[in-house]
């Protein structure tokens, strides 16, 4: 036995670099296995005489301890089976990026409209999508035989009794619920999903979204309605926007009007979007019919009010010139991704 042998093994051990468990095991066999180098030194040690035994004993034991520790250490620090066969892991490689979501265009428009009316002092009210006939029609002055109650337009959930359940066809039902429970004066906007039994096409869908507004106080006049809508249109479509009111009919408002805004694409010159007219129809409105106020227990001699309602998909279509309503419901990432950079979210 030579001191150099011990020193050589110690040096080799220092140099030793194992990358896999397999290599660690090979190193263990090489040093500590039955025919391993350290084992061999112990065999030689047995044959030494007493003096030499005294000289080498401790050094040899230290060497064995060192080798054992080092092998254990490497066992713990070297990666498992994956590293053995698979490609080397590059820890500096960037991870898979998350797909960033974006707001749905209908949500963007709803938020813009709600924000505008919040500035005017309106609250937001919501109501159920499955409603009863009373809140969708009866309390809103729909005569018993009004065509809007026809099965053609309305999805009934339960039929055959006096107050059937149905999917609301407009958010005006939320007006009724608000008038029933909120103290006066009332100033609310009611955004929500509505349902109509329509064949699905580029211009019609059986599901869409509305936002409805209601203002009730003493001395509310048609001039207030006109001013509120003008301010809204200018906030929404730009400061030069004009509005135009055409007479119309809704059972729950009297007088009733349909409101157009000047086309913000051609600025009144006439284009494809406004079909050459210079105007875009955006909402229905009117003074709340006294019958509607009375049905919800509001004194129509003391109070008056106005209401308006608009379709969110329609506004979004005008804003971004989307020509097919179906895009809003199909969850096509190519379409939805277009709104990733949309402002004011
Ligand atoms: N509820 C009407 C509709 O769905 C819109 C509207 C609301 C009209 C309020 C006048 C006043 O078409």
């Amino acid at each position: 036995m030579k001191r150099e042998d011990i020193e050589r093994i110690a040096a080799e051990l220092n140099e030793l670099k194992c990358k896999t468990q397999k290599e660690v095991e090979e190193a263990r066999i090489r040093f500590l296995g039955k025919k391993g180098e350290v084992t061999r030194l112990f065999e030689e040690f047995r044959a030494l005489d007493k003096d030499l035994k005294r000289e080498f004993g401790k050094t040899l034991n230290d060497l064995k301890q060192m080798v054992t520790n080092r092998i254990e250490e490497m066992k713990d620090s070297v990666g498992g089976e994956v590293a053995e066969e698979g490609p080397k892991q590059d820890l500096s490689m960037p991870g898979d990026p998350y797909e960033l979501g974006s707001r749905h265009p209908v949500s963007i428009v709803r938020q813009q409209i709600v924000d505008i009316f919040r500035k005017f002092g309106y609250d937001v009210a919501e109501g159920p999508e499955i409603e009863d006939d009373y809140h969708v029609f009866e309390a809103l002055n729909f005569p018993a035989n009004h065509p809007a109650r026809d099965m053609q337009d309305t999805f009934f959930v339960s039929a055959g009794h006096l107050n059937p359940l149905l999917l609301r066809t407009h958010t005006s039902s939320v007006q009724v619920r608000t008038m029933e429970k909120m103290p006066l004066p009332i100033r609310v906007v009611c955004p929500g999903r509505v349902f109509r039994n329509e064949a699905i096409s580029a211009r019609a869908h059986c599901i869409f979204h509305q936002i409805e507004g209601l203002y009730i106080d003493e001395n509310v006049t048609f001039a207030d309605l006109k001013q509120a809508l003008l301010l809204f249109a200018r906030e929404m479509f730009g400061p030069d926007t004009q509005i135009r009111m055409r007479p119309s009919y809704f059972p729950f408002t009297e007088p009733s009007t349909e409101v157009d805004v000047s086309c913000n694409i051609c600025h009144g010159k006439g284009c494809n979007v406004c079909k050459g007219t210079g105007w875009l129809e955006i909402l229905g409105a009117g003074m709340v019919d006294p019958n509607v106020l009375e049905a919800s227990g509001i004194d129509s001699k003391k109070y008056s009010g106005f209401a308006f309602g608009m379709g969110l998909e329609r506004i979004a279509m005008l804003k971004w010139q989307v020509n097919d309503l179906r895009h809003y419901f199909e969850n096509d990432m190519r379409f939805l991704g277009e709104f990733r950079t949309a402002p004011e979210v």
Side-chain angles (χ1 to χ4, degrees), residues 4 47 55-56 64 89-90 109 117 166 269 281 305 337 344:
E4 292 89 89
E55 190 186 333
F56 282 110
K64 190 178 179 188
Q89 290 181 19
D90 177 359
V109 164
F117 282 100
L166 41 88
K269 287 191 207 86
E281 187 195 323
E344 295 135 315

Side-chain angles (χ1 to χ4, degrees), residues 110-125 187-189 191 211 232:
R110 181 190 55 206
Q111 196 57 50
Q112 278 180 341
I113 298 174
V114 165
D115 286 347
I116 292 171
F117 282 100
R118 275 228 174 94
K119 278 199 273 188
F120 299 166
Y122 285 68
D123 284 331
V124 176
R187 238 185 271 152
V188 287
V189 281
I211 190 162
F232 161 69

Side-chain angles (χ1 to χ4, degrees), residues 169-170 172 175 196 210 212-213 250 252-253 284-286 307-310:
T169 55
H170 54 183
S172 307
Q175 278 189 34
R196 289 186 195 177
Q210 287 188 329
E212 174 119 357
F250 300 103
F252 36 92
T253 47
F308 54 87
M310 63 194 113

Side-chain angles (χ1 to χ4, degrees), residues 100-205:
L100 264 194
S102 56
R103 287 267 200 137
H104 192 281
V106 170
S107 296
I108 296 171
V109 164
R110 181 190 55 206
Q111 196 57 50
Q112 278 180 341
I113 298 174
V114 165
D115 286 347
I116 292 171
F117 282 100
R118 275 228 174 94
K119 278 199 273 188
F120 299 166
Y122 285 68
D123 284 331
V124 176
E126 287 184 330
E129 291 177 353
I130 301 177
E131 260 293 4
D132 53 18
D133 180 278
Y134 176 81
H135 288 91
V136 175
F137 298 128
E138 187 78 32
L140 286 162
N141 202 34
F142 277 80
N145 55 358
H146 194 282
R149 290 181 175 218
D150 197 294
M151 295 284 282
Q152 302 258 313
D153 293 319
T154 308
F155 288 113
F156 284 90
V157 174
S158 69
H161 49 87
L162 270 180
N163 190 20
L165 285 181
L166 41 88
L167 300 183
R168 65 180 178 196
T169 55
H170 54 183
T171 45
S172 307
S173 51
V174 187
Q175 278 189 34
V176 178
R177 290 192 175 273
T178 308
M179 287 188 291
E180 282 171 351
K181 62 171 195 278
M182 288 226 326
L184 294 160
I186 288 171
R187 238 185 271 152
V188 287
V189 281
C190 322
R193 195 154 49 158
V194 301
F195 308 86
R196 289 186 195 177
N197 193 355
E198 306 238 8
I200 296 171
S201 71
R203 319 211 107 242
H205 208 287

